[in-house]
Every structure is written in C-alpha cells, then in structure tokens.
Amino acid sequence: FTYLEGLKAKPDWRLKVRDLWETRQMLWREFGMAVSHGVGIWYMDLGKENFRDPEIVRTVGAACAWAKEALRRPREHLSEVVVISNPESEFYMPYRCNDPSNVCFRLYTRQMGAFYRAGAPFDWYVADDLDAVAARRDVKAAVLLDCQYLTDAQVAAIGRMKARGVRFLAFHRPGYVSQTALSDARSRELLRGMVHFPEPTATAEDIRRFYRASGVHLYTESDVVLSANRSWVLVHAREAGKVVIRLPRTAAEVTDVVRGEIVARKTDEVTLDLRRFETAVLLTDGADPGRKSY
C-alpha cells in the first residue's frame, strides 16, 4: 500500500508508509530485493487508487527501466550462507498461530528479519534440497531454521557439510523428529559443534558474530536491510546514519539507481549517508549515469 491508502476514511491495517517519500523508498526497496535475487516483480493495486500520483508513476517507470537494464547484467548469487527450512516440521508442532509453535511470527517474521539485517546475503532452501546444498563448495555457514523433523538422509547430508568445515547455527531442536521416533539424543548429537538458540531470539549482531567466525564476507557492519548478488546491492536504512558497504570485489563504477548517479569508481568500499527509511540500490558493474531516476 502507498501513502494514498492513509488518506482514506478506513485505511487498510497493513499500511506502513506515511507519505510520498516513504512510499518511494518502499517501492525502491522492493525493486532492489527483486533484482538482487534475479526474480520478477509486479505491482498490484490492492486497495484501489494506491498509485494515483504522478510521482509514484514516475518512480515505477524508473524502476521498470532499470529492470530492463538488469536483464543484461550478471545475476548469479554470491551467497556464502544458506538457510534451511523444513515445512514438514509443522506436522509435529502446534498450529502455527499458537504461541508454543514459535513459527509464524517469532521465527518466520522476526527472526528472519534479523538475518536480512546481519550484513551478508543468503540463499534459502527447503530440507528436501539438502543433497544439493551439501554439494556446494562455496558455503561457509548454514542455518537450521525450522528443522525439528529431519530424515536420516538429511541428517547425513548435514554431517557431510560439518565434516567439510561448514559452521552451523540452529534453532529449536533440529532432528528431534525422524521417520520413526522422537529422540532427544539424536538432536543433541546433531547439535554438537553448532551455535544453538533454543528459541528464535538471535539478534542481527549475534548472526554477524557467527558469520565472522565462519569466514563469511560481511558487506556491512550496520544494522540495515541488505540483499546482494554479483551486480546489485540493496541497502535499506532503519535509522539515519552513515553505512559502509564493502564489496567482495573492486567495481569499476558503483551507481545508485535511486539517485540516478555514480557514487564511486574503482573501489570495493562505498559509504552511504542515509536518512531513516531511505533506500539505496547499487549497480556495481557500471551504468549510464545519464539515466534519470525519481
């Protein structure tokens, strides 16, 4: 929803932005999340007339122009972190809206929010793909998010990753449920050598500490929302201040497509001075600075 929703007699309760400026930052944030993941995005007027503002239309138009540019840029991920979920675990827990499950809000919303503010991009897998994850040689850190249920084959894949030196962070009691039984001993054995949070209470700094110990490249030490791939870096500030972004390689040019200007050349470090709720979307392999954004 854009700020126009707030002008209605009965605004939708999901409205988050307060004015045009915050609306534009939200739109650029969602654009940055899409291009940094190499996926598509569409705009849908859920509440009617939420886009009836020339500045909003121009912002969407500018994002669309950069989206076409993104199709010509490398889009592969450079993530050294994987987050592993097993939705099948929910069969062995209370209904997700009940507090004892700790899944819906505390784990999938609040806890995952901390991962987006921890300073490094990550790839999110389901446990059914653990064999493919275990085959990746670029992974340095792995997270067992909601893996209370794991098959013996999945536990074996995690064991192969641990033997190769991948460090793990886990929530709840991973592996407590198998195909045949409930076993606290099985979970304790799986947790051996892992960073363990029985409850989803890890802060962004807790996760950064885990990343540092794992040798993961941190794009930033600031508590900002971050997503990145080979060409793009999204930064969204929760508070005002300077944010230092350290790229994994030297970029010939770094362009902030929100501002429509080159912000750095021949560097692997960029400093941004951002307002509260401001978004920067950085194209890190050069771009046309004459392309005007709004």
Side-chain angles (χ1 to χ4, degrees):
F1 295 94
T2 72
Y3 82 99
L4 294 172
E5 180 69 21
L7 303 181
K8 299 177 181 178
K10 294 182 179 180
D12 191 283
W13 64 271
R14 293 167 291 181
L15 176 67
K16 301 296 183 183
V17 296
R18 297 171 295 182
D19 54 32
L20 174 61
W21 186 85
E22 288 188 5
T23 294
R24 292 181 57 251
Q25 303 312 306
M26 174 194 67
L27 292 170
W28 280 115
R29 182 192 66 193
E30 299 311 313
F31 167 79
M33 192 66 71
V35 292
S36 63
H37 282 83
V39 299
I41 188 172
W42 66 92
Y43 299 95
M44 182 166 46
D45 195 353
L46 292 172
K48 295 183 180 180
E49 299 190 351
N50 264 271
F51 292 85
R52 199 180 180 90
D53 183 307
E55 290 300 318
I56 293 177
V57 173
R58 278 193 283 269
T59 299
V60 172
C64 288
W66 283 110
K68 293 177 181 178
E69 181 73 18
L71 294 175
R72 295 190 285 269
R73 306 286 177 166
R75 297 189 294 278
E76 64 266 31
H77 283 199
L78 300 177
S79 304
E80 298 173 319
V81 180
V82 293
V83 175
I84 302 162
S85 284
N86 195 356
E88 198 166 349
S89 295
E90 291 198 55
F91 290 124
Y92 306 95
M93 294 186 295
Y95 180 63
R96 64 162 47 210
C97 290
N98 290 346
D99 185 67
S101 74
N102 294 327
V103 170
C104 188
F105 176 75
R106 294 186 64 197
L107 189 63
Y108 286 150
T109 301
R110 187 167 64 190
Q111 187 58 75
M112 285 309 301
F115 278 96
Y116 278 103
R117 300 191 305 274
F122 58 88
D123 294 329
W124 201 345
Y125 288 86
V126 293
D128 286 346
D129 291 329
L130 260 167
D131 281 338
V133 176
R136 285 184 54 176
R137 297 294 168 172
D138 56 336
V139 174
K140 296 179 179 179
V143 178
L144 301 181
L145 188 68
D146 53 339
C147 293
Q148 292 89 328
Y149 173 78
L150 289 171
T151 66
D152 292 340
Q154 290 165 350
V155 170
I158 292 170
R160 294 195 298 274
M161 294 173 68
K162 291 172 68 175
R164 197 172 69 244
V166 176
R167 292 175 60 89
F168 277 83
L169 182 152
F171 295 96
H172 296 314
R173 300 297 291 174
Y176 177 70
V177 185
S178 70
Q179 303 101 304
T180 58
L182 307 179
S183 174
D184 192 54
R186 184 178 189 252
S187 180
R188 287 199 304 270
E189 178 61 28
L190 182 64
L191 284 168
R192 190 185 302 274
M194 294 186 183
V195 177
H196 181 218
F197 286 85
E199 298 288 331
T201 56
T203 66
E205 181 53 37
D206 290 332
I207 299 167
R208 275 193 290 273
R209 192 178 304 115
F210 166 66
Y211 286 169
R212 293 187 199 103
S214 305
V216 171
H217 173 79
L218 286 175
Y219 280 71
T220 184
E221 299 280 348
S222 299
D223 194 16
V224 295
V225 175
L226 181 134
S227 181
N229 65 7
R230 181 171 294 279
S231 297
W232 298 91
V233 180
L234 161 71
V235 183
H236 179 76
R238 302 172 74 231
E239 301 294 340
K242 293 186 182 299
V243 178
V244 177
I245 301 297
R246 298 180 180 89
L247 304 173
R249 61 183 176 85
T250 298
E253 292 178 345
V254 180
T255 300
D256 182 355
V257 305
V258 178
R259 300 183 182 183
E261 62 184 34
I262 294 173
V263 295
R265 286 188 172 92
K266 295 181 180 178
T267 186
D268 60 0
E269 184 172 303
V270 180
T271 299
L272 306 170
D273 192 359
L274 300 177
R275 295 167 55 184
R276 187 185 187 202
F277 301 143
E278 186 171 3
T279 298
V281 182
L282 306 179
L283 179 56
T284 63
D285 59 352
D288 178 7
R291 187 189 296 275
K292 179 63 175 175
S293 294
Y294 295 89

